[in-house]
Each structure stands twice: as C-alpha cells, then as structure tokens.
Amino acid sequence: MKRIPAEYRLGWLLVAPAVSAMLVVTAWPVLYAFWLSLFRYDLRFPGQRAFIGLDNYLSVLGSEVWWQSLGNTLIITVGSVAVELLLGFALALLMHRALFGRRTVRTAILIPYGIITVVAALAWKFAFDPTTGFVNALLGLEQAWLTERGSALFVIIFTEVWKTTPFMALLLMAGLTLVPDDLLRAALVDGASAVQRFFRITLPVMKPAILVALLFRTLDAFRIFDTVFVQTRGAQSTESVSIVGYHTLITRLNLGLGSAVSVLIFVCVVIIALLFVKGFGTALARGKEER
Amino acid sequence: MRRSVSSRPPVPPGARAALRWLGTALVLLTLAGCDDLPFPKDPPMPEVPLLRWYVFAEPSGAFAAAAERCSQQPEETFRVELVALPADADQQREQLVRRLAARDSDIDIIGMDVIWTPEFAAAGWILPWTGRLAEQVRAGRLAAAVQSASFGERLWAAPFTTNTQLLWYRTDRVSTPPTTWQQMLDLAESLGAGAIQAQGERYEGLTVLFTSLLASAGGAVLDESGTRVALPDEPTRTALGVMQRLASFPAADTSLATDREDQARLAFETGAPSFMINYTYVWPSAQRNAPEVAANMGWARWPAVVEGRPSRVTIGGINLGVGAWSRHPQLAFRAAACIASEDNQRLAAERGGLPPTIAALYDDARVRDTFPFADLLRETLQDAVQRARSPLYNDVSLAISRTLHPMRDIDPQHDVARLRAVLGRALRSEGLL
C-alpha cells in the first residue's frame, strides 16, 4: 500500500510538537552535558574554566574508581535482572493461570512495585539491620549485612528484585496472552509434555515480550542510584556508576568531570540498548518469515 | 484505525482548521505560561524587608525564637524568616551550593557548618565581615570558633554555636575513665563485644575521627598554607594504628562500619556498651530515652593518643554567613549579629542543647544546668582542632573517608602513602574520588 505524500506531511505535522519538545528536553541536555565534559569546569572556581578536550574522559577511564563501580553496577544489573526474570516468569504463569481471585492476586503481586524505591530501600535497610531488623532473628544469624561487600550487594540486589519483579511479571504476563490456546491444545493432542510445550511453544512465541521486559529492566537496573544511596551510600565497594556521577557532579561540583561520567553512563546505556535491539531485530524478522 | 485513515482523503477537510486551532491554542498556552514566570506584574511591597535564614531544621524551636526576637527589635526594620534545610550537613551543603553558584538572591543569612567557610569564601558566595560588626561578633568568642569562621585573615561568618565530642562512659562499670586510647582499648577488652561506640561509616564522621586522632598524635592533614599534604609519618601511623585496633579489636561493634553518631547513641542507650565517643546531644537524649543509663553515665575528656599530651578534638558547629547575592546585605549582617548575640546563644544552649561560642556563657547558671560538663566542654574547645582549611575541603574529606573505610582493613604502614597520594589528587582536583 503506497502512502500519499500529503499523508506523510500531516503525519510530520502531527508529531512536530512532540518531536520539538523531545529535542528541547532530551537532546539539548545530552548535547550540553557532552559540551561541558570537554572543559575543566568546577563551580567553585568558575575563573579556572578551560577547554581541555578529552582529558576528562581519559581521567575517568584511567581511574580505578570508574572500573570498580562499573563492575559493581554490572553485578547488580545481571544479578537482579536474572532473578527477576525467573521469579517474574513464575508469577506471570501464576497470574495467567489463576482460576479464581485473579484480580486480587494481580493487585497483591503489584504492591511492591507501587512502593517508592527510597521507602523500599529504607525498609529493607532496617529489616537487615542487626539491632532493629527482623531478618537476623528470622534466620537465627548474627550478621551485620551492610558492613561487608558480598552481603551488602546481596541486600541491594534483594531489594531491587523485591521491588521490580512485579513489573517484570506484568510484562511477561502480557506476553503470555500472545500464546494461542489452540496451539497449546494441538501440542497436547500430539503428546507434548508440559515442559515441552513451555520450551517449544510458549517461550518462542513470547520471545519479543521477553526481550522488551529484559531491555526495560536492564536499562533501569544499570542506572541504579536510590537503593545504593540509601542502603550503603556506596560504601563497602558497592558504588554504582550513578553514585560516582553524583559524587563528582553534585558533591564535588566538578561539572566537567561529572559530565564526562554522565556521558559515559549514557554511552553504556546506548550499548546495552543496541545489543538488545539487535536481538530484537532477529526475533522480529523471524516472526515475519513465519507469518 | 489504520484502514479508516488510509481509505479517506489524505487531509480531511476539518484537519487544516483543527491544526490552525491547535496552533492558536499552543501560542495562547505559551503566553499564558508567561504569567507564571517568577516576575509578578506588581510584586506585593512588603512593609519591612524580609531576610531569609537558611539553616538546618532545629527541632526545639530555639532558632525560630531567635529569629522572632531579632525581628522584634524596635531599632531595626527587617523580618527574619527561617528556611529549613535537611538535618544532614552533606545535604544542607548540596542544596545551598547549587543555589549559591546560580547566584540565588533569596539566600540572605546562612547557617554554615564550620567546614564550609574556606569553600564558600573562596568561591565568593558569602561576604566578609568588617568593621564594628566584625568586632562585635568576635568579642569574647572562643578562639577556635572564631578561627572556624575565618579564612585567609578575614572573618567570613559570625560564630554562633559550637560543638565537640567527649568521652561518655558507664560509671557503674568503669571507676576512673581512661585518659588514653590505649587504656580505653585495654579496658574494653575485658568488657566484651561492642564495648566502644564510635563513628565508622564512610562519611564526614570518619574524617572527624581521623582528624581528632591525628591532631592528638601531633599531626595535621594539610600544612599551614592549606594547599599541600602534611601527614607527618609518625603521628599518621599512630592515628591509623588506633583506628585499626578500634575496628578489629574484639571489643569493637560488629556494625562499626555503618555506625554514625545516632547509631552510636542508640546503641549506648540500650545499656550494653561501656564507652562512647559522641557529641553533647547524647546527654539530654539519654535522660529522656534511657533514664537508667543516664543515671550511670559519666563524661571525660576525649582520650589522648600519646600519654601526657592532651587530646585535640575536632570542632563543629554553626556560623552565620551572609549570602553574596542577598538583596539586603547590610541588614543581613545586622540580623546575623543579633542572632549570634549572647541572649540567643543562651537560648540555643538552654532549649536546643547547642553549646555557645561565647566563652563566658559556660559560667552562666542556666547554661551549666543544660551542660553539667560545661567546664570540660570549654576546656576541650580551647584545645580544639580545625578540619583541613581548604576550599577543596569536601574533596579532601571524601578522599580521607574513602581511603580509611572500613577501618578494620587499615594497614598503618601501607596506608600513609596511599592517603598521601589520594589527598594530593584531591588537592589538584584530579580524577574521580
């Protein structure tokens, strides 16, 4: 079907306000941050502002702090997204299959997602605290969870999982509704077991939905700030890249160096998105061929 | 949807009109938005100039009462309004510096933490005190408090309240308080786990602990000029040794690495610990929350690091600066001088438990009621030490607390060099911290 040029024009006219708004609120700050990152610029010493090219980037990339925080961020991202995917799938299947009280089940599962991250992070911080918390009493332990790297990372990941699994479950449940019932029934007639039906039919049909869910959560998890800030402030080597950016930009007022950190975080996010979109592309292409 | 669109003519007859209407509406909306810009057409003319005092939210209301009193002076024509800042000093600074860097004229008087003086002064965010008013707010004040408000030979703020740490101990378990860290650590060993409560989280409190230990051992973080790292070998190693021993000692609290002042206070109020390094606010708090602990609570001078050399403890507190972009700087100076006057310092001490900077007030009967340890407090303050005096203090402090956290992993031999390297980078504004 060929579209008439006038139709295109109308289309562009209609999206023009949205596009210009996006350019102003998104593209401009990104470009400005990039511009700032090329300067030595500390808000406390505005007189010493000078163009230094890519020196800020060299300084950040040559720093132990950046690589360590990038490692921490990746651990938190991979750890939380993997667990969320598994748990989210279980919950999605539960919500999908629930025969009665469907609404109640769905609402109950969504509650953690409705809680503000800072509140959730504080609540779990207190829960894991050796003096005020219930976790040690429950498990019969004498552990100061947030004082060591391993256990502190565990608490952070746990909080993230607790908070965002419902989101994952919701997206996956939407994917589950895509799986046609007659396909599953036909497989049943052909003698496929429940496991076979899940891996051979449900999963392949759901692939695009899974990829969307993973992309959203990975991008979100990579930018983690509030949970770490509330629970450890980045101590015990749990610093995420966003915390490093915050320290440089907001606490030290070093606009040049801080902008370089922000731009690098942006680059990481773009790389993650590209990797996923590539995965997407193949999934979608195959979907078309099959059709 | 799609089919219905493509089956119709490309631009439906009404579309053009609708677009025109939309455009007009957008323009109107934009214009209407201009009304809400921060320039009201006719600003309400206040009868008396309003001065805004940005300071942490003081819970007892002592600051509000002081602001009210100064507004009521018959010979003055201004009104002081409190603007509450967060309780955490880092967050107070964060909010203030962004606004000051953006030349916010709304900030008239600033309740400044003592560590901000060099930074704010060097950046030109506050105005220096000169002439008669400077003499007035300096007169009779503790030397360390005046020093905390000065930078480069000038006075940048009016000393208002001060603070420092004491050693708190259980009189029912310890007959004579230890005078050195060595003694305290030895004693704590016999008293069991968690006997000493201190500040070990990675934040300003850890820098304070290090600064006090280092000064007590005879060292300093920066040299006199404030631009080069000092950290003399022997004292630095001694100070790091004490920190390491405090944290790895069997008597150390397991949660030391996440403890701030308040966690230490809460733990002490449970009755289990025998020693605590903390500010004076723990005294009224214990009387309120744990009277049975307060009944057996003694105080002593912060322990020395070297036998026979009195400890030198870090000074804290709030000084009053005048914002450089204030619309009424002269009025703001007079208002700040009034807030920092003797009557209001007494009020802040009595009601808010904030130690005064006027030395003579420590002999005042009502102040001594609030601080039964007034003599000890004044004596400690007379020997107090300043934290590094540098416009880059924040970077310096971040570098110290990052390098020395967690305290149990400190290696005194190796960490002196590491600390020097990191501080050097911080002073040159180089790289991430």
Side-chain angles (χ1 to χ4, degrees):
Chain A
M1 197 187 316
K2 226 178 123 191
R3 295 204 182 182
I4 309 155
E7 197 181 335
Y8 271 115
R9 235 188 4 251
L10 175 68
W12 277 110
L13 270 174
L14 286 175
V15 297
V19 168
S20 34
M22 286 298 282
L23 281 178
V24 172
V25 300
T26 320
W28 164 243
V30 171
L31 291 175
Y32 187 56
F34 180 70
W35 176 244
L36 278 178
S37 72
L38 304 176
F39 284 84
R40 176 172 57 227
Y41 187 15
D42 190 316
L43 264 187
R44 290 168 293 189
F45 314 105
Q48 295 174 16
R49 182 180 161 146
F51 185 84
I52 52 167
L54 295 175
D55 276 10
N56 282 329
Y57 290 93
L58 295 179
S59 166
V60 173
L61 291 174
S63 140
E64 192 193 329
V65 175
W66 165 258
W67 294 108
Q68 204 196 10
S69 64
L70 187 65
N72 293 336
T73 314
L74 289 176
I75 292 174
I76 296 172
T77 307
V78 173
S80 59
V81 174
V83 178
E84 278 165 29
L85 181 66
L86 292 178
L87 280 181
F89 233 116
L91 287 180
L93 287 170
L94 190 77
M95 289 195 283
H96 190 60
R97 292 287 157 79
L99 294 177
F100 52 89
R102 216 177 242 219
R103 235 179 233 208
T104 322
V105 171
R106 287 183 191 180
T107 315
I109 285 175
L110 272 176
I111 287 175
Y113 193 60
I115 293 176
I116 299 162
T117 314
V118 172
V119 176
L122 269 176
W124 284 111
K125 183 185 181 181
F126 288 128
F128 279 99
D129 189 280
T131 22
T132 56
F134 66 86
V135 175
N136 274 350
L138 200 69
L139 302 176
L141 289 174
E142 282 277 328
Q143 170 99 2
W145 292 84
L146 293 169
T147 61
E148 271 160 57
R149 180 162 189 252
S151 53
L153 280 175
F154 171 80
V155 175
I156 290 168
I157 293 176
F158 178 85
T159 309
E160 280 289 291
V161 168
W162 180 82
K163 162 111 181 71
T164 42
T165 300
F167 175 72
M168 191 69 122
L170 205 65
L171 287 182
L172 292 176
M173 199 183 68
L176 277 177
T177 57
L178 290 176
V179 183
D181 258 356
D182 41 0
L183 214 60
L184 289 172
R185 254 180 265 131
L188 188 63
V189 172
D190 290 344
S193 69
V195 177
Q196 278 175 325
R197 271 175 283 149
F198 181 76
F199 283 104
R200 296 285 170 93
I201 297 174
T202 311
L203 268 191
V205 175
M206 276 182 70
K207 200 174 167 189
I210 296 174
L211 280 172
V212 172
L214 279 181
L215 173 67
F216 276 29
R217 271 305 301 148
T218 310
L219 291 185
D220 230 24
F222 189 79
R223 292 171 303 155
I224 183 170
F225 177 82
D226 5 21
T227 309
V228 181
F229 187 77
V230 168
Q231 293 188 337
T232 63
R233 287 235 169 181
Q236 273 72 255
S237 304
T238 55
E239 218 155 30
S240 72
V241 280
S242 305
I243 297 262
V244 171
Y246 161 84
H247 270 315
T248 320
L249 207 53
I250 309 287
T251 313
R252 296 176 61 201
L253 299 174
N254 198 325
L255 293 191
L257 209 57
S259 299
V261 173
S262 308
V263 171
L264 285 172
I265 296 175
F266 177 72
V267 169
C268 292
V269 166
V270 170
I271 292 174
I272 293 175
L274 280 178
L275 287 177
F276 270 100
V277 169
K278 243 186 141 195
F280 248 139
T282 54
L284 290 180
R286 211 177 50 211
K288 260 182 209 157
E289 277 159 28
E290 279 162 11
R291 219 171 287 160
Chain B
M1 256 328 265
R2 199 170 169 193
R3 194 191 303 151
S4 70
V5 167
S6 49
S7 63
R8 277 186 198 169
V11 184
R16 212 167 279 276
L19 266 180
R20 202 167 298 145
W21 182 86
L22 190 71
T24 321
L26 268 178
V27 170
L28 282 177
L29 269 176
T30 320
L31 286 179
C34 293
D35 251 6
D36 298 333
L37 287 179
F39 306 108
K41 274 169 207 147
D42 25 39
M45 284 299 288
E47 287 151 27
V48 281
L50 181 65
L51 300 173
R52 290 205 170 77
W53 176 20
Y54 282 73
V55 70
F56 76 90
E58 201 277 322
S60 77
F63 288 180
E68 186 57 35
R69 262 194 203 172
C70 291
S71 306
Q72 300 291 331
Q73 299 173 96
E75 70 278 15
E76 288 293 6
T77 50
F78 56 71
R79 205 153 51 80
V80 180
E81 186 187 81
L82 277 186
V83 183
L85 291 173
D88 179 346
D90 289 343
Q91 317 244 308
Q92 293 165 24
R93 175 181 165 276
E94 228 164 70
Q95 295 204 1
L96 284 169
V97 291
R98 268 180 291 173
R99 299 179 61 164
L100 288 167
R103 310 192 166 199
D104 189 340
S105 61
D106 196 52
I107 300 176
D108 299 302
I109 306 167
I110 311 169
M112 290 169 47
D113 196 299
V114 291
I115 52 178
W116 303 340
T117 316
E119 180 183 34
F120 284 26
W125 293 335
I126 48 174
L127 299 172
W129 289 65
T130 50
R132 196 182 51 81
L133 274 176
E135 288 314 311
Q136 186 188 322
V137 297
R138 226 189 243 132
R141 267 59 170 188
L142 291 160
V146 174
Q147 205 192 340
S148 78
S150 313
F151 179 64
E153 311 292 315
R154 296 181 99 162
L155 185 71
W156 292 91
F160 180 34
T161 70
T162 183
N163 220 336
T164 194
Q165 293 186 327
L166 301 177
L167 168 64
W168 306 89
Y169 68 100
R170 290 289 297 255
T171 47
D172 50 342
R173 292 178 204 149
V174 184
S175 47
T176 39
T179 53
T180 63
W181 276 88
Q182 191 72 29
Q183 282 174 21
M184 180 161 78
L185 290 164
D186 289 344
L187 263 172
E189 193 171 37
S190 59
L191 289 165
I196 303 177
Q197 289 297 321
Q199 291 77 47
E201 205 188 23
R202 197 182 80 175
Y203 80 119
E204 184 60 26
L206 190 63
T207 307
V208 168
L209 178 65
F210 174 66
T211 308
S212 299
L213 285 170
L214 182 62
S216 301
V221 176
L222 302 184
D223 68 359
E224 284 294 310
S225 70
T227 53
R228 275 183 304 271
V229 183
L231 292 183
D233 259 326
E234 193 48 43
T236 312
R237 251 203 309 276
T238 314
L240 293 182
V242 172
M243 289 175 94
Q244 196 266 343
R245 199 179 155 198
L246 168 68
S248 52
F249 201 63
D253 195 291
T254 44
S255 61
L256 181 65
T258 51
D259 280 350
R260 294 177 167 227
E261 287 88 356
D262 230 34
Q263 279 87 343
R265 170 184 69 87
L266 288 171
F268 196 82
E269 284 174 8
T270 64
S274 302
F275 300 104
M276 170 170 62
I277 295 294
N278 217 329
Y279 292 95
T280 53
Y281 83 108
V282 298
W283 172 247
S285 166
Q287 285 176 315
R288 226 174 16 248
N289 302 341
E292 66 291 350
V293 172
N296 295 311
M297 200 165 159
W299 50 80
R301 180 143 176 169
W302 212 81
V305 173
V306 181
E307 186 98 51
R309 184 201 275 264
S311 63
R312 297 196 62 199
V313 194
T314 309
I315 190 173
I318 298 284
N319 300 325
L320 301 175
V322 170
W325 325 110
S326 162
R327 289 192 196 92
H328 315 284
Q330 293 317 314
L331 291 182
F333 276 118
R334 293 217 295 272
C338 167
I339 294 169
S341 67
E342 186 172 331
D343 282 349
N344 289 325
Q345 288 205 14
R346 189 183 291 115
L347 187 74
E350 256 181 82
R351 224 196 265 182
L354 299 164
T357 49
I358 297 177
L361 275 177
Y362 288 82
D363 296 321
D364 183 287
R366 281 186 290 170
V367 172
R368 291 179 79 89
D369 266 356
T370 319
F371 305 115
F373 37 80
D375 291 328
L376 173 67
L377 192 58
R378 180 166 48 187
E379 186 193 308
T380 306
L381 283 166
Q382 274 158 355
D383 292 338
V385 65
Q386 308 288 333
R387 276 167 269 182
R389 309 294 287 163
S390 159
L392 287 160
Y393 177 75
N394 215 71
D395 304 42
V396 168
S397 175
L398 211 59
I400 293 175
S401 58
R402 279 198 81 114
T403 314
L404 300 183
H405 188 274
M407 284 196 271
R408 59 172 180 268
D409 292 346
I410 291 177
D411 170 4
Q413 296 299 327
H414 174 225
D415 280 346
V416 178
R418 245 181 88 214
L419 203 53
R420 276 209 194 102
V422 177
L423 279 171
R425 284 224 316 272
L427 287 176
R428 290 190 301 273
S429 266
E430 257 174 34
L432 300 177
L433 287 173

